[in-house]
């Protein structure tokens, strides 16, 4: 029993630390609902769109996007909305990795809705 609990904790921790982003088509498949804001000051997080999967796994605020239409257990599955009121988080995508900034809402509550399915 202890081993199963420890394994679940490790898996969940690695998923929430990894910022490999999969955009899904259905809201029900999403772990987090995102609104991409045009204003840096209005964002819960300023994230850098990296081309390196290594950076996404090891550096908070670095997002690596993959192509996928279905929910994946090894990624953070996001659904993008057009209205900030419908979103769990407002995200600003930056071209400058020095501008990465994560507020407490992002750090503490951003991925709490992360579903874990060992499929």
């Amino acid at each position: 029993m202890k081993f199963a609990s420890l394994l679940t904790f490790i898996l969940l921790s690695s998923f929430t630390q990894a910022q490999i982003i999969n955009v899904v088509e259905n809201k029900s498949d999403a772990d987090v609902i995102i609104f991409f804001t045009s204003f840096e000051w209005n964002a819960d997080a300023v994230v850098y769109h990296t081309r390196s999967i290594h950076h996404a796994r090891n550096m908070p605020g670095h997002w690596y996007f993959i192509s996928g239409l279905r929910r994946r257990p090894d990624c953070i599955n996001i659904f993008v909305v057009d209205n900030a009121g419908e979103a769990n988080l407002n995200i600003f995508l930056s071209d400058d990795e020095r501008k990465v900034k994560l507020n407490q809402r992002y750090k503490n509550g951003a991925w709490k809705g992360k579903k874990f399915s060992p499929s």
Side-chain angles (χ1 to χ4, degrees), residues 2-109:
K2 286 183 182 180
F3 178 71
S5 297
L6 180 62
L7 181 61
T8 301
F9 175 75
I10 291 169
L11 287 172
L12 285 173
S13 296
S14 65
F15 286 143
T16 56
Q17 293 301 317
Q19 296 176 331
I20 300 168
I21 307 300
N22 180 39
V23 180
V24 295
E25 286 187 338
N26 299 311
K27 198 177 208 177
S28 61
D29 290 332
D31 300 316
V32 179
I33 300 168
I34 300 290
F35 173 74
F36 287 109
T37 181
S38 302
F39 305 106
E40 196 172 329
W41 58 266
N42 190 36
D44 294 309
V46 176
V47 299
Y48 176 69
H49 176 217
T50 183
R51 293 189 174 135
S52 165
I53 199 165
H54 173 74
H55 281 123
R57 286 189 175 138
N58 296 301
M59 299 183 71
H62 287 66
W63 283 16
Y64 179 82
F65 288 89
I66 62 165
S67 300
L69 302 175
R70 294 185 8 216
R71 188 183 180 303
R72 292 177 51 136
D74 59 337
C75 300
I76 295 171
N77 298 288
I78 68 168
F79 181 77
V80 180
V81 293
D82 295 328
N83 181 352
E86 297 176 43
N88 301 115
L89 289 173
N90 295 335
I91 300 293
F92 180 82
L93 283 177
S94 177
D95 295 334
D96 184 354
E97 77 180 294
R98 294 172 295 172
K99 290 188 175 186
V100 169
K101 183 178 176 184
L102 312 173
N103 73 8
Q104 283 307 116
R105 181 176 169 173
Y106 180 94
K107 290 177 186 176
N108 295 336

